Amino acid sequence: MGRRLALLIATYDYQDAGLRQLTSPAHDAEAFAAVLRDPDIAGFEVTTLINQPHHLVGEAVGDFYRDRRSDDLTLLYFTGHGLKDDGGRLYLAMANTRRDSLLFTALSAEQIDQAMEGCASRQKVLVLDCCYSGAFPAGRISKGDTAVHALERFQGRGRTVLTASDATQYSFEGNQPQGHAAQSVFTRHLVAGLRDGSADLDGDGDVTLDELYGYVHDRVVDEMPQQRPKRLDSVEGRIVIARNINWTLPAHLCNAVASPIATDRLTALDGLAHLHRIGNDVVRARALDEIRRLAEDDSKVVSAAAATRLRSVLPTSPEPRGTPPEPPAPQAPARPPAVLIPDPHPGAAAPPRRSSRLRPRTRRAKALTAAATALALAAAVVGALLTFRETGDESHCPRAVPSPDVLRGAGQGLVFSPDKKTFATFTETSDVDSVRLWDLRTHKTVATVRRQTLPNNGEVFSPDGRFLVTQDQYDPDRTDPVTVRLRNTSTGRTTAIRTDHKGVVNVAVSPDGQSLATAAASRSDEESPHPVRLWDVESGKRTATLTGHTDGIRFMAFDRDGETLATGSRDEIVRLWNVRTRKTLTTLTDAYGGTFSPDGKILAVGGGDKAVRLWNVNTRKVVATFANTSYGWFSPDGRTFAGAGRDRTVRLWDVDTGKSIVVTRAGSLVGFSLSGKALAIVGKDEKVRLWDAATRKPVTTITSVSSIGSRPAFSPDGRIFAAASKDGTVRLWDVADCS
């Protein structure tokens, strides 16, 4: 393996009184040298020259490029004044440089060019943090003037040249002309990107020169719009400058592999396989470890898909030569972020994991979770806020709920239709998936749809209940696009829409049932934006493609009027689209998911800071922030938000004032019945209890969540409480007196 060699030249103290004394170069060189020397980061052999005369610097440059091997990596860095002669030729000013004798007292670009040309190294990096005389725009110290094209002087094969600015711009250092100054804008970001690993833009554990340039360029331009770094590149292959010492498994993958939703864990495999393919030793080891853990998952589909991934990646995983770096110490995966997953009907969002014993076994758990709660639990308290306590008056709700109706072999999850007439169950076997439609009154099967599964985000029924929405069953080896099917629950007529998406799909149906939105939920290696597609339900034809997201889509929802579509992506951005014009109305950053208020004027968005923010859709401003809240639902009148956090505290929030009432500190929220009279909460003992609003205390225990396969739910009218067991048994309780 070749050597990694760096020569850093900094000049700030000049004998020529006409050359302004600079303050940044010494600090620039010191900081850059420290990060390059660090064996954990870059591991360069670094030589630094400070305020040296031109003949000593020239000699050092000649020695630096002499007798190099082809696999050596060389990096030459200069910070200080750049000057030009009357012919426009570039010189780098040294301590003894005289402006009236540049040819004999400065280091010319031609000399550096000749030294680089004679060097056998195939990877030569030149970094120039300088401009060319001394002006003072906007009160900042400049290192240059505007007429020398530095890049043109250093063209040649095997070279990459980075400059702080182009030929028509100034580059800047600190704001103060003397004393201890900050690093120059360019070098400061150069060092920061290497030191903390933030320049590792693709998350593969290595910082390449391309990534470093992109990182520095964007930050310099953001800070100093008038300065634009430039690059000249004539190198085959990539140049790895440093390792990302702070690399960790990306948050979205940590959340996915730790999610109680089998579909989330399933979609994590794409990202893990991608990391294993592109990552360095540390990254590949961690990705492989996570894939192995998923191969032992309690979901058959997840474990089977992970096993397939293992077979595909292990043969192409050569053993690293020598002793590989120690991988990061195994850590328990982080819990899912504060994510709101909207449903077909306003007001509901699916909660995150409550405990390890709640881990669903089916990959449709996310769908079942979101939709089952949403369709019936989208209500909250009507009128004044309800205050729940664990003590209170005698309950008006029966202490004992009648024995449930039992449907054996019905499915592992249940979703109620908003039309109050039907419900759907999902069944997973080793090789065949099926969705069954049931009559809610007779408990008889209406239809069975085989080799179909539920959409990823729980949009199981259209808002009016006319359509049952399914997609092709998941197959990790599938290469053709997924087809989404809309089955009319009355006539059985089915519209098939070939979505052009692969893997698992998120869908949203407009309130009028005329439009369908689809998007791929999985991560993708493609560089193109991840599109959201709009379809005409009647004809099955595509009407529009919305682009802007850069990763898999996590949630989708139409507002009440169907004029606005909200989409949330794994790129941690929520976008609001005008459905008619196909334009983006606004983007919300550090956001994972959301749900509309009943009137469609407010979007509740969960973010990585464990808080839910309410955005006014029209003004695009935050109107309230609910701290320590990860998910929740709006009340039917939109005045109350029922939310819960990872600390197992259930709260009711007043949307107008932002004030909260603590309901209980010992549970997680299942949801409200339609009237708001009953609230279902899972306690520390994993028992599902109904709380009565009138008595403000728990009044009855329905079932233990450890015995069910997916999140329990109220029917849309609140009269039935349902839970599907892991063995395929569905139980329906009559809770009319409590709801």
PDB file of all heavy atoms in Angstrom, residues 441-473:
ATOM      1  N   ARG A 441     -71.697  -6.931  10.604  1.00  0.00           N
ATOM      2  CA  ARG A 441     -72.904  -7.325  11.339  1.00  0.00           C
ATOM      3  C   ARG A 441     -73.003  -8.831  11.490  1.00  0.00           C
ATOM      4  O   ARG A 441     -73.267  -9.341  12.581  1.00  0.00           O
ATOM      5  CB  ARG A 441     -74.150  -6.783  10.614  1.00  0.00           C
ATOM      6  CG  ARG A 441     -75.465  -7.094  11.320  1.00  0.00           C
ATOM      7  CD  ARG A 441     -76.618  -6.495  10.538  1.00  0.00           C
ATOM      8  NE  ARG A 441     -76.699  -7.039   9.188  1.00  0.00           N
ATOM      9  CZ  ARG A 441     -77.318  -8.194   8.896  1.00  0.00           C
ATOM     10  NH1 ARG A 441     -77.907  -8.914   9.848  1.00  0.00           N
ATOM     11  NH2 ARG A 441     -77.357  -8.617   7.647  1.00  0.00           N
ATOM     12  N   THR A 442     -72.737  -9.572  10.408  1.00  0.00           N
ATOM     13  CA  THR A 442     -72.925 -11.025  10.441  1.00  0.00           C
ATOM     14  C   THR A 442     -71.645 -11.788  10.738  1.00  0.00           C
ATOM     15  O   THR A 442     -71.689 -12.986  11.032  1.00  0.00           O
ATOM     16  CB  THR A 442     -73.478 -11.509   9.094  1.00  0.00           C
ATOM     17  OG1 THR A 442     -72.498 -11.267   8.068  1.00  0.00           O
ATOM     18  CG2 THR A 442     -74.763 -10.779   8.743  1.00  0.00           C
ATOM     19  N   HIS A 443     -70.514 -11.113  10.635  1.00  0.00           N
ATOM     20  CA  HIS A 443     -69.205 -11.759  10.817  1.00  0.00           C
ATOM     21  C   HIS A 443     -68.961 -12.849   9.776  1.00  0.00           C
ATOM     22  O   HIS A 443     -68.246 -13.815  10.011  1.00  0.00           O
ATOM     23  CB  HIS A 443     -69.055 -12.348  12.228  1.00  0.00           C
ATOM     24  CG  HIS A 443     -69.117 -11.333  13.316  1.00  0.00           C
ATOM     25  ND1 HIS A 443     -69.121 -11.667  14.653  1.00  0.00           N
ATOM     26  CD2 HIS A 443     -69.188  -9.968  13.265  1.00  0.00           C
ATOM     27  CE1 HIS A 443     -69.200 -10.561  15.388  1.00  0.00           C
ATOM     28  NE2 HIS A 443     -69.242  -9.534  14.563  1.00  0.00           N
ATOM     29  N   LYS A 444     -69.535 -12.650   8.592  1.00  0.00           N
ATOM     30  CA  LYS A 444     -69.339 -13.571   7.486  1.00  0.00           C
ATOM     31  C   LYS A 444     -68.346 -12.988   6.484  1.00  0.00           C
ATOM     32  O   LYS A 444     -68.291 -11.776   6.275  1.00  0.00           O
ATOM     33  CB  LYS A 444     -70.665 -13.861   6.771  1.00  0.00           C
ATOM     34  CG  LYS A 444     -71.741 -14.461   7.670  1.00  0.00           C
ATOM     35  CD  LYS A 444     -71.360 -15.857   8.146  1.00  0.00           C
ATOM     36  CE  LYS A 444     -72.496 -16.489   8.959  1.00  0.00           C
ATOM     37  NZ  LYS A 444     -72.126 -17.836   9.466  1.00  0.00           N
ATOM     38  N   THR A 445     -67.608 -13.903   5.837  1.00  0.00           N
ATOM     39  CA  THR A 445     -66.642 -13.460   4.835  1.00  0.00           C
ATOM     40  C   THR A 445     -67.353 -12.971   3.583  1.00  0.00           C
ATOM     41  O   THR A 445     -68.209 -13.668   3.025  1.00  0.00           O
ATOM     42  CB  THR A 445     -65.681 -14.600   4.455  1.00  0.00           C
ATOM     43  OG1 THR A 445     -64.989 -15.040   5.625  1.00  0.00           O
ATOM     44  CG2 THR A 445     -64.670 -14.132   3.425  1.00  0.00           C
ATOM     45  N   VAL A 446     -67.004 -11.771   3.141  1.00  0.00           N
ATOM     46  CA  VAL A 446     -67.579 -11.199   1.924  1.00  0.00           C
ATOM     47  C   VAL A 446     -66.717 -11.548   0.716  1.00  0.00           C
ATOM     48  O   VAL A 446     -67.227 -11.875  -0.355  1.00  0.00           O
ATOM     49  CB  VAL A 446     -67.707  -9.671   2.048  1.00  0.00           C
ATOM     50  CG1 VAL A 446     -68.206  -9.065   0.736  1.00  0.00           C
ATOM     51  CG2 VAL A 446     -68.622  -9.303   3.198  1.00  0.00           C
ATOM     52  N   ALA A 447     -65.404 -11.496   0.871  1.00  0.00           N
ATOM     53  CA  ALA A 447     -64.493 -11.784  -0.241  1.00  0.00           C
ATOM     54  C   ALA A 447     -63.123 -12.126   0.315  1.00  0.00           C
ATOM     55  O   ALA A 447     -62.748 -11.696   1.408  1.00  0.00           O
ATOM     56  CB  ALA A 447     -64.397 -10.588  -1.190  1.00  0.00           C
ATOM     57  N   THR A 448     -62.390 -12.905  -0.445  1.00  0.00           N
ATOM     58  CA  THR A 448     -61.011 -13.246  -0.107  1.00  0.00           C
ATOM     59  C   THR A 448     -60.120 -12.897  -1.295  1.00  0.00           C
ATOM     60  O   THR A 448     -60.381 -13.341  -2.420  1.00  0.00           O
ATOM     61  CB  THR A 448     -60.853 -14.737   0.236  1.00  0.00           C
ATOM     62  OG1 THR A 448     -61.672 -15.052   1.368  1.00  0.00           O
ATOM     63  CG2 THR A 448     -59.404 -15.063   0.567  1.00  0.00           C
ATOM     64  N   VAL A 449     -59.099 -12.103  -1.058  1.00  0.00           N
ATOM     65  CA  VAL A 449     -58.179 -11.683  -2.107  1.00  0.00           C
ATOM     66  C   VAL A 449     -56.835 -12.330  -1.819  1.00  0.00           C
ATOM     67  O   VAL A 449     -56.148 -11.974  -0.855  1.00  0.00           O
ATOM     68  CB  VAL A 449     -58.030 -10.149  -2.138  1.00  0.00           C
ATOM     69  CG1 VAL A 449     -57.159  -9.727  -3.316  1.00  0.00           C
ATOM     70  CG2 VAL A 449     -59.392  -9.479  -2.206  1.00  0.00           C
ATOM     71  N   ARG A 450     -56.453 -13.302  -2.631  1.00  0.00           N
ATOM     72  CA  ARG A 450     -55.230 -14.058  -2.384  1.00  0.00           C
ATOM     73  C   ARG A 450     -54.028 -13.428  -3.093  1.00  0.00           C
ATOM     74  O   ARG A 450     -54.164 -12.693  -4.046  1.00  0.00           O
ATOM     75  CB  ARG A 450     -55.404 -15.509  -2.843  1.00  0.00           C
ATOM     76  CG  ARG A 450     -56.521 -16.236  -2.093  1.00  0.00           C
ATOM     77  CD  ARG A 450     -56.509 -17.724  -2.384  1.00  0.00           C
ATOM     78  NE  ARG A 450     -57.596 -18.415  -1.685  1.00  0.00           N
ATOM     79  CZ  ARG A 450     -57.552 -18.767  -0.417  1.00  0.00           C
ATOM     80  NH1 ARG A 450     -56.466 -18.531   0.291  1.00  0.00           N
ATOM     81  NH2 ARG A 450     -58.576 -19.371   0.155  1.00  0.00           N
ATOM     82  N   ARG A 451     -52.857 -13.770  -2.563  1.00  0.00           N
ATOM     83  CA  ARG A 451     -51.589 -13.259  -3.068  1.00  0.00           C
ATOM     84  C   ARG A 451     -51.564 -11.733  -3.090  1.00  0.00           C
ATOM     85  O   ARG A 451     -51.013 -11.098  -3.988  1.00  0.00           O
ATOM     86  CB  ARG A 451     -51.275 -13.827  -4.460  1.00  0.00           C
ATOM     87  CG  ARG A 451     -51.376 -15.335  -4.571  1.00  0.00           C
ATOM     88  CD  ARG A 451     -50.730 -15.865  -5.837  1.00  0.00           C
ATOM     89  NE  ARG A 451     -49.279 -15.831  -5.710  1.00  0.00           N
ATOM     90  CZ  ARG A 451     -48.546 -16.761  -5.087  1.00  0.00           C
ATOM     91  NH1 ARG A 451     -49.135 -17.814  -4.535  1.00  0.00           N
ATOM     92  NH2 ARG A 451     -47.234 -16.642  -5.010  1.00  0.00           N
ATOM     93  N   GLN A 452     -52.212 -11.155  -2.093  1.00  0.00           N
ATOM     94  CA  GLN A 452     -52.241  -9.711  -1.921  1.00  0.00           C
ATOM     95  C   GLN A 452     -51.904  -9.376  -0.468  1.00  0.00           C
ATOM     96  O   GLN A 452     -52.104 -10.188   0.439  1.00  0.00           O
ATOM     97  CB  GLN A 452     -53.621  -9.144  -2.257  1.00  0.00           C
ATOM     98  CG  GLN A 452     -53.973  -9.193  -3.730  1.00  0.00           C
ATOM     99  CD  GLN A 452     -53.212  -8.153  -4.525  1.00  0.00           C
ATOM    100  OE1 GLN A 452     -53.455  -6.956  -4.437  1.00  0.00           O
ATOM    101  NE2 GLN A 452     -52.247  -8.622  -5.320  1.00  0.00           N
ATOM    102  N   THR A 453     -51.396  -8.185  -0.265  1.00  0.00           N
ATOM    103  CA  THR A 453     -51.099  -7.700   1.075  1.00  0.00           C
ATOM    104  C   THR A 453     -51.598  -6.268   1.198  1.00  0.00           C
ATOM    105  O   THR A 453     -52.059  -5.674   0.216  1.00  0.00           O
ATOM    106  CB  THR A 453     -49.587  -7.765   1.357  1.00  0.00           C
ATOM    107  OG1 THR A 453     -49.358  -7.389   2.705  1.00  0.00           O
ATOM    108  CG2 THR A 453     -48.822  -6.825   0.446  1.00  0.00           C
ATOM    109  N   LEU A 454     -51.508  -5.720   2.402  1.00  0.00           N
ATOM    110  CA  LEU A 454     -51.964  -4.359   2.630  1.00  0.00           C
ATOM    111  C   LEU A 454     -50.858  -3.369   2.295  1.00  0.00           C
ATOM    112  O   LEU A 454     -49.678  -3.679   2.447  1.00  0.00           O
ATOM    113  CB  LEU A 454     -52.386  -4.185   4.087  1.00  0.00           C
ATOM    114  CG  LEU A 454     -53.465  -5.155   4.589  1.00  0.00           C
ATOM    115  CD1 LEU A 454     -53.795  -4.844   6.037  1.00  0.00           C
ATOM    116  CD2 LEU A 454     -54.710  -5.076   3.733  1.00  0.00           C
ATOM    117  N   PRO A 455     -51.185  -2.155   1.856  1.00  0.00           N
ATOM    118  CA  PRO A 455     -50.160  -1.140   1.601  1.00  0.00           C
ATOM    119  C   PRO A 455     -49.354  -0.856   2.859  1.00  0.00           C
ATOM    120  O   PRO A 455     -49.813  -1.075   3.984  1.00  0.00           O
ATOM    121  CB  PRO A 455     -50.977   0.085   1.168  1.00  0.00           C
ATOM    122  CG  PRO A 455     -52.246  -0.491   0.631  1.00  0.00           C
ATOM    123  CD  PRO A 455     -52.534  -1.684   1.496  1.00  0.00           C
ATOM    124  N   ASN A 456     -48.182  -0.330   2.647  1.00  0.00           N
ATOM    125  CA  ASN A 456     -47.236  -0.136   3.746  1.00  0.00           C
ATOM    126  C   ASN A 456     -47.748   0.806   4.824  1.00  0.00           C
ATOM    127  O   ASN A 456     -47.503   0.605   6.005  1.00  0.00           O
ATOM    128  CB  ASN A 456     -45.924   0.402   3.180  1.00  0.00           C
ATOM    129  CG  ASN A 456     -44.866   0.595   4.232  1.00  0.00           C
ATOM    130  OD1 ASN A 456     -44.423  -0.352   4.852  1.00  0.00           O
ATOM    131  ND2 ASN A 456     -44.461   1.832   4.443  1.00  0.00           N
ATOM    132  N   ASN A 457     -48.464   1.869   4.448  1.00  0.00           N
ATOM    133  CA  ASN A 457     -48.808   2.898   5.418  1.00  0.00           C
ATOM    134  C   ASN A 457     -50.224   2.779   5.972  1.00  0.00           C
ATOM    135  O   ASN A 457     -50.709   3.675   6.658  1.00  0.00           O
ATOM    136  CB  ASN A 457     -48.650   4.288   4.794  1.00  0.00           C
ATOM    137  CG  ASN A 457     -49.592   4.501   3.620  1.00  0.00           C
ATOM    138  OD1 ASN A 457     -49.896   3.563   2.882  1.00  0.00           O
ATOM    139  ND2 ASN A 457     -50.068   5.713   3.425  1.00  0.00           N
ATOM    140  N   GLY A 458     -50.911   1.674   5.701  1.00  0.00           N
ATOM    141  CA  GLY A 458     -52.199   1.444   6.332  1.00  0.00           C
ATOM    142  C   GLY A 458     -53.399   2.058   5.637  1.00  0.00           C
ATOM    143  O   GLY A 458     -54.478   2.131   6.215  1.00  0.00           O
ATOM    144  N   GLU A 459     -53.249   2.515   4.408  1.00  0.00           N
ATOM    145  CA  GLU A 459     -54.394   3.027   3.654  1.00  0.00           C
ATOM    146  C   GLU A 459     -55.136   1.819   3.090  1.00  0.00           C
ATOM    147  O   GLU A 459     -54.996   1.453   1.920  1.00  0.00           O
ATOM    148  CB  GLU A 459     -53.929   3.956   2.534  1.00  0.00           C
ATOM    149  CG  GLU A 459     -55.058   4.679   1.817  1.00  0.00           C
ATOM    150  CD  GLU A 459     -55.397   6.012   2.461  1.00  0.00           C
ATOM    151  OE1 GLU A 459     -54.835   6.325   3.519  1.00  0.00           O
ATOM    152  OE2 GLU A 459     -56.238   6.730   1.909  1.00  0.00           O
ATOM    153  N   VAL A 460     -55.938   1.189   3.931  1.00  0.00           N
ATOM    154  CA  VAL A 460     -56.574  -0.073   3.560  1.00  0.00           C
ATOM    155  C   VAL A 460     -57.898   0.148   2.854  1.00  0.00           C
ATOM    156  O   VAL A 460     -58.288  -0.617   1.969  1.00  0.00           O
ATOM    157  CB  VAL A 460     -56.764  -0.954   4.807  1.00  0.00           C
ATOM    158  CG1 VAL A 460     -57.347  -2.308   4.439  1.00  0.00           C
ATOM    159  CG2 VAL A 460     -55.444  -1.126   5.531  1.00  0.00           C
ATOM    160  N   PHE A 461     -58.616   1.200   3.252  1.00  0.00           N
ATOM    161  CA  PHE A 461     -59.892   1.533   2.627  1.00  0.00           C
ATOM    162  C   PHE A 461     -59.848   2.964   2.119  1.00  0.00           C
ATOM    163  O   PHE A 461     -59.113   3.814   2.646  1.00  0.00           O
ATOM    164  CB  PHE A 461     -61.042   1.409   3.636  1.00  0.00           C
ATOM    165  CG  PHE A 461     -61.365  -0.002   4.043  1.00  0.00           C
ATOM    166  CD1 PHE A 461     -60.840  -0.532   5.212  1.00  0.00           C
ATOM    167  CD2 PHE A 461     -62.199  -0.799   3.270  1.00  0.00           C
ATOM    168  CE1 PHE A 461     -61.124  -1.825   5.602  1.00  0.00           C
ATOM    169  CE2 PHE A 461     -62.489  -2.093   3.649  1.00  0.00           C
ATOM    170  CZ  PHE A 461     -61.953  -2.611   4.819  1.00  0.00           C
ATOM    171  N   SER A 462     -60.644   3.231   1.082  1.00  0.00           N
ATOM    172  CA  SER A 462     -60.833   4.613   0.663  1.00  0.00           C
ATOM    173  C   SER A 462     -61.616   5.341   1.759  1.00  0.00           C
ATOM    174  O   SER A 462     -62.266   4.701   2.594  1.00  0.00           O
ATOM    175  CB  SER A 462     -61.595   4.664  -0.668  1.00  0.00           C
ATOM    176  OG  SER A 462     -62.878   4.064  -0.534  1.00  0.00           O
ATOM    177  N   PRO A 463     -61.559   6.665   1.813  1.00  0.00           N
ATOM    178  CA  PRO A 463     -62.212   7.399   2.899  1.00  0.00           C
ATOM    179  C   PRO A 463     -63.698   7.117   3.050  1.00  0.00           C
ATOM    180  O   PRO A 463     -64.235   7.192   4.166  1.00  0.00           O
ATOM    181  CB  PRO A 463     -61.963   8.863   2.523  1.00  0.00           C
ATOM    182  CG  PRO A 463     -60.688   8.832   1.759  1.00  0.00           C
ATOM    183  CD  PRO A 463     -60.743   7.554   0.968  1.00  0.00           C
ATOM    184  N   ASP A 464     -64.381   6.796   1.956  1.00  0.00           N
ATOM    185  CA  ASP A 464     -65.806   6.490   2.050  1.00  0.00           C
ATOM    186  C   ASP A 464     -66.073   5.000   2.193  1.00  0.00           C
ATOM    187  O   ASP A 464     -67.229   4.566   2.277  1.00  0.00           O
ATOM    188  CB  ASP A 464     -66.552   7.028   0.829  1.00  0.00           C
ATOM    189  CG  ASP A 464     -65.989   6.498  -0.493  1.00  0.00           C
ATOM    190  OD1 ASP A 464     -65.103   5.602  -0.452  1.00  0.00           O
ATOM    191  OD2 ASP A 464     -66.416   6.971  -1.551  1.00  0.00           O
ATOM    192  N   GLY A 465     -65.040   4.195   2.229  1.00  0.00           N
ATOM    193  CA  GLY A 465     -65.215   2.758   2.401  1.00  0.00           C
ATOM    194  C   GLY A 465     -65.594   2.017   1.137  1.00  0.00           C
ATOM    195  O   GLY A 465     -65.823   0.800   1.174  1.00  0.00           O
ATOM    196  N   ARG A 466     -65.628   2.691  -0.009  1.00  0.00           N
ATOM    197  CA  ARG A 466     -66.055   2.029  -1.249  1.00  0.00           C
ATOM    198  C   ARG A 466     -65.014   1.051  -1.767  1.00  0.00           C
ATOM    199  O   ARG A 466     -65.360   0.073  -2.422  1.00  0.00           O
ATOM    200  CB  ARG A 466     -66.350   3.072  -2.333  1.00  0.00           C
ATOM    201  CG  ARG A 466     -67.624   3.854  -2.138  1.00  0.00           C
ATOM    202  CD  ARG A 466     -67.970   4.656  -3.383  1.00  0.00           C
ATOM    203  NE  ARG A 466     -66.897   5.541  -3.784  1.00  0.00           N
ATOM    204  CZ  ARG A 466     -66.400   5.600  -5.011  1.00  0.00           C
ATOM    205  NH1 ARG A 466     -66.850   4.794  -5.954  1.00  0.00           N
ATOM    206  NH2 ARG A 466     -65.445   6.467  -5.303  1.00  0.00           N
ATOM    207  N   PHE A 467     -63.731   1.340  -1.513  1.00  0.00           N
ATOM    208  CA  PHE A 467     -62.672   0.523  -2.072  1.00  0.00           C
ATOM    209  C   PHE A 467     -61.830  -0.112  -0.978  1.00  0.00           C
ATOM    210  O   PHE A 467     -61.511   0.522   0.031  1.00  0.00           O
ATOM    211  CB  PHE A 467     -61.757   1.362  -2.969  1.00  0.00           C
ATOM    212  CG  PHE A 467     -62.442   1.962  -4.162  1.00  0.00           C
ATOM    213  CD1 PHE A 467     -62.705   3.319  -4.219  1.00  0.00           C
ATOM    214  CD2 PHE A 467     -62.816   1.171  -5.236  1.00  0.00           C
ATOM    215  CE1 PHE A 467     -63.326   3.875  -5.311  1.00  0.00           C
ATOM    216  CE2 PHE A 467     -63.439   1.718  -6.332  1.00  0.00           C
ATOM    217  CZ  PHE A 467     -63.706   3.072  -6.378  1.00  0.00           C
ATOM    218  N   LEU A 468     -61.468  -1.352  -1.203  1.00  0.00           N
ATOM    219  CA  LEU A 468     -60.447  -2.026  -0.412  1.00  0.00           C
ATOM    220  C   LEU A 468     -59.148  -1.919  -1.198  1.00  0.00           C
ATOM    221  O   LEU A 468     -59.096  -2.273  -2.379  1.00  0.00           O
ATOM    222  CB  LEU A 468     -60.815  -3.494  -0.189  1.00  0.00           C
ATOM    223  CG  LEU A 468     -59.737  -4.374   0.460  1.00  0.00           C
ATOM    224  CD1 LEU A 468     -59.547  -3.968   1.920  1.00  0.00           C
ATOM    225  CD2 LEU A 468     -60.112  -5.852   0.358  1.00  0.00           C
ATOM    226  N   VAL A 469     -58.081  -1.432  -0.564  1.00  0.00           N
ATOM    227  CA  VAL A 469     -56.821  -1.181  -1.248  1.00  0.00           C
ATOM    228  C   VAL A 469     -55.814  -2.262  -0.865  1.00  0.00           C
ATOM    229  O   VAL A 469     -55.533  -2.466   0.317  1.00  0.00           O
ATOM    230  CB  VAL A 469     -56.249   0.203  -0.887  1.00  0.00           C
ATOM    231  CG1 VAL A 469     -54.987   0.492  -1.699  1.00  0.00           C
ATOM    232  CG2 VAL A 469     -57.294   1.288  -1.108  1.00  0.00           C
ATOM    233  N   THR A 470     -55.266  -2.954  -1.854  1.00  0.00           N
ATOM    234  CA  THR A 470     -54.241  -3.969  -1.608  1.00  0.00           C
ATOM    235  C   THR A 470     -53.115  -3.807  -2.626  1.00  0.00           C
ATOM    236  O   THR A 470     -53.257  -3.100  -3.628  1.00  0.00           O
ATOM    237  CB  THR A 470     -54.810  -5.394  -1.724  1.00  0.00           C
ATOM    238  OG1 THR A 470     -55.271  -5.615  -3.072  1.00  0.00           O
ATOM    239  CG2 THR A 470     -55.957  -5.611  -0.750  1.00  0.00           C
ATOM    240  N   GLN A 471     -51.994  -4.472  -2.366  1.00  0.00           N
ATOM    241  CA  GLN A 471     -50.892  -4.483  -3.318  1.00  0.00           C
ATOM    242  C   GLN A 471     -50.372  -5.912  -3.452  1.00  0.00           C
ATOM    243  O   GLN A 471     -50.682  -6.781  -2.643  1.00  0.00           O
ATOM    244  CB  GLN A 471     -49.756  -3.558  -2.868  1.00  0.00           C
ATOM    245  CG  GLN A 471     -48.945  -4.092  -1.703  1.00  0.00           C
ATOM    246  CD  GLN A 471     -47.567  -3.457  -1.584  1.00  0.00           C
ATOM    247  OE1 GLN A 471     -47.443  -2.350  -1.095  1.00  0.00           O
ATOM    248  NE2 GLN A 471     -46.541  -4.172  -2.023  1.00  0.00           N
ATOM    249  N   ASP A 472     -49.553  -6.141  -4.481  1.00  0.00           N
ATOM    250  CA  ASP A 472     -48.950  -7.459  -4.666  1.00  0.00           C
ATOM    251  C   ASP A 472     -48.173  -7.853  -3.419  1.00  0.00           C
ATOM    252  O   ASP A 472     -47.542  -7.015  -2.770  1.00  0.00           O
ATOM    253  CB  ASP A 472     -47.999  -7.444  -5.868  1.00  0.00           C
ATOM    254  CG  ASP A 472     -48.720  -7.192  -7.176  1.00  0.00           C
ATOM    255  OD1 ASP A 472     -49.941  -7.418  -7.219  1.00  0.00           O
ATOM    256  OD2 ASP A 472     -48.064  -6.760  -8.141  1.00  0.00           O
ATOM    257  N   GLN A 473     -48.205  -9.143  -3.077  1.00  0.00           N
ATOM    258  CA  GLN A 473     -47.468  -9.594  -1.907  1.00  0.00           C
ATOM    259  C   GLN A 473     -45.980  -9.363  -2.094  1.00  0.00           C
ATOM    260  O   GLN A 473     -45.459  -9.400  -3.212  1.00  0.00           O
ATOM    261  CB  GLN A 473     -47.741 -11.068  -1.621  1.00  0.00           C
ATOM    262  CG  GLN A 473     -47.197 -12.046  -2.654  1.00  0.00           C
ATOM    263  CD  GLN A 473     -47.481 -13.487  -2.268  1.00  0.00           C
ATOM    264  OE1 GLN A 473     -48.288 -13.756  -1.394  1.00  0.00           O
ATOM    265  NE2 GLN A 473     -46.812 -14.416  -2.919  1.00  0.00           N
TER     266      GLN A 473
END
